[in-house]
Amino acid sequence: GDSVTQMEGPVTLSEEAFLTINCTYTATGYPSLFWYVQYPGEGLQLLLKATKADDKGSNKGFEATYRKETTSFHLEKGSVQVSDSAVYFCALSLNAGGTSYGKLTFGQGTILTVHP
Amino acid sequence: NAGVTQTPKFRVLKTGQSMTLLCAQDMNHEYMYWYRQDPGMGLRLIHYSVGEGTTAKGEVPDGYNVSRLKKQNFLLGLESAAPSQTSVYFCASSYRMGVYEQYFGPGTRLTVT
């Protein structure tokens, strides 16, 4: 079946450090890939997305590139801030075909804590 | 524009009790979803709806029922609550499925004792 695997957390960084959160996927069809972020006490919100191979999604200094050859969509940020502390979820949705068509399949989430 | 709202925010139930969670959206979205979030497991889809009057099962539908009588509302019911249903429940909506962003509510924290 379709699945998403994220690097295990929690991840703890100092402010201005470089961030990478790994995400790999298995899909029976052609997925779109997403990163959602959940700030403390809130629901999830879309951070960025990519809909086809080699696309790069970016938002708020975060970037992720859709790599079909390695089935990956790693999240990166060059300089994190305390306000980036949150839970980050990688997710996929099939564009066509497969049992997961149209529905989001989430990874387990990675907790990020940034210290001043 | 409130987006997606959920009521209640917190609830404690005893085993065997029933309750309904209400989700409302004001974005005129056709598609609505109910997820549960458990530690280390991400979000799992319980049920979803592709339009008013429709419902469909997701990944973990057992023990839950849903109704979509009005386009803006999506109700999640627990007929006989069990401790395994202790979780945080999120509602979401989207314009379409697939590449389109899902908008999430703030969640309902449910504890079943």
Side-chain angles (χ1 to χ4, degrees):
Chain A
D2 306 310
S3 65
V4 176
T5 302
Q6 292 179 232
M7 66 182 287
E8 293 194 16
V11 175
T12 303
L13 296 173
S14 297
E15 206 164 25
E16 299 183 1
F18 184 85
L19 168 70
T20 299
I21 301 178
N22 290 339
C23 171
T24 58
Y25 69 88
T26 302
T28 54
Y30 303 95
S32 291
L33 301 172
F34 305 82
W35 277 101
Y36 279 82
V37 59
Q38 183 181 28
Y39 298 104
E42 299 183 8
L44 281 72
Q45 56 186 272
L46 181 66
L47 180 59
L48 53 83
K49 70 178 183 183
T51 59
K52 62 183 186 296
D54 300 324
D55 271 2
K56 177 185 284 188
S58 61
N59 186 26
K60 299 181 181 179
F62 291 89
E63 293 184 339
T65 300
Y66 187 142
R67 302 286 189 198
K68 185 177 180 182
E69 63 276 13
T70 56
T71 61
S72 65
F73 193 54
H74 305 320
L75 182 68
E76 296 181 336
K77 187 175 185 181
S79 177
V80 294
Q81 305 299 312
V82 172
S83 57
D84 293 327
S85 298
V87 184
Y88 292 82
F89 292 93
C90 187
L92 70 81
S93 179
L94 291 186
N95 298 327
T99 58
S100 299
Y101 171 63
K103 301 183 286 292
L104 282 173
T105 298
F106 287 91
Q108 70 270 34
T110 301
I111 300 172
L112 171 66
T113 302
V114 180
H115 293 296
Chain B
N1 188 339
V4 180
T5 58
Q6 293 182 233
T7 53
K9 292 188 176 181
F10 303 94
R11 185 73 186 269
V12 178
L13 289 179
K14 295 186 186 302
T15 298
Q17 288 185 320
S18 63
M19 77 163 294
T20 300
L21 282 67
L22 172 63
C23 175
Q25 53 93 5
D26 61 2
M27 296 173 281
N28 201 34
H29 285 163
E30 290 290 339
Y31 296 80
M32 297 188 73
Y33 316 82
W34 276 107
Y35 295 91
R36 60 178 290 171
Q37 182 182 28
D38 302 295
M41 300 187 72
L43 278 73
R44 292 180 293 169
L45 183 64
I46 304 171
H47 287 282
Y48 65 100
S49 169
V50 301
E52 182 179 314
T54 75
T55 63
K57 293 181 180 180
E59 182 185 354
V60 288
D62 293 342
Y64 305 94
N65 56 76
V66 288
S67 63
R68 183 101 181 266
L69 299 180
K70 294 183 178 181
K71 185 177 183 178
Q72 64 268 33
N73 295 338
F74 195 29
L75 279 63
L76 178 71
L78 286 73
E79 291 185 347
S80 179
S84 61
Q85 295 178 304
T86 294
S87 188
V88 181
Y89 291 86
F90 288 98
C91 177
S93 71
S94 67
Y95 172 64
R96 289 276 191 270
M97 298 176 92
V99 304
Y100 295 90
E101 176 181 0
Q102 291 189 16
Y103 294 81
F104 285 80
T108 295
R109 184 172 294 276
L110 174 66
T111 302
V112 182
T113 61

